[in-house]
Amino acid sequence: GESVGLHLPTLSVQEGDNSIINCAYSNSASDYFIWYKQESGKGPQFIIDIRSNMDKRQGQRVTVLLNKTVKHLSLQIAATQPGDSAVYFCAESYAGGYQKVTFGTGTKLQVIP
Amino acid sequence: IAGITQAPTSQILAAGRRMTLRCTQDMRHNAMYWYRQDLGLGLRLIHYSNTAGTTGKGEVPDGYSVSRANTDDFPLTLASAVPSQTSVYFCASSARGRPGNSPLHFGNGTRLTVT
């Protein structure tokens, strides 16, 4: 069945280092993927998205990589800062799943000053 | 600041009571959604509305109802609260009718405890 999961529930990173958060998905028909950041007590915040016709997309300090062969998604954060500490989760959807978005349960990123 | 406003921020509710969670957006988005977030389960869709005047059921609609009288407001009502409805509720909107086409914009949530 469909699933979106994260390999690491908690990730600790030294300030200034790069962070990589991974996500696996099982629905090969998924065509749209989003990374969200959720700080404590707040709602999820959109970070970056990517469609299935792309392998890589870059934003400000963030890069999303999509590997459709192994159904894997990753979020890379460059020069991680204390403000990056949050829970990150991916979401996936597909053209045939109107309103159907599957969210992962999240990875907590802890930035060590 | 443009975005989604939810009220109340938190609420403790006795089982059997009726409760309406409010949600207002000022981005003029057509589509709005209600999700619940439970530890270990991720976000699950309760109800959605593609445009004012229309609503639809998500994956966990039982015990909840919604209305969409205008573009900006999308209240969620629990007719008779039960403890299993203890959760954090998020209202969201998107510029397009499918959350699979554009990212969701979320409010900061309502933390509901049903005793």
Side-chain angles (χ1 to χ4, degrees), chain A residues 32 36 38 43 51 93 98-99, chain B residues 37 50 97 99-101 104 108:
Chain A
Y32 183 56
Y36 290 95
Q38 187 173 20
R51 301 192 184 278
S93 65
Y98 196 89
Q99 307 304 339
Chain B
Q37 186 176 43
N50 291 332
N101 269 340
L104 296 168
N108 281 328

Side-chain angles (χ1 to χ4, degrees), chain B residues 62-84:
Chain B
D62 294 342
Y64 307 95
S65 64
V66 291
S67 62
R68 188 85 183 278
N70 56 63
T71 297
D72 298 340
D73 301 300
F74 191 43
L76 176 73
T77 297
L78 288 68
S80 179
V82 295
S84 62

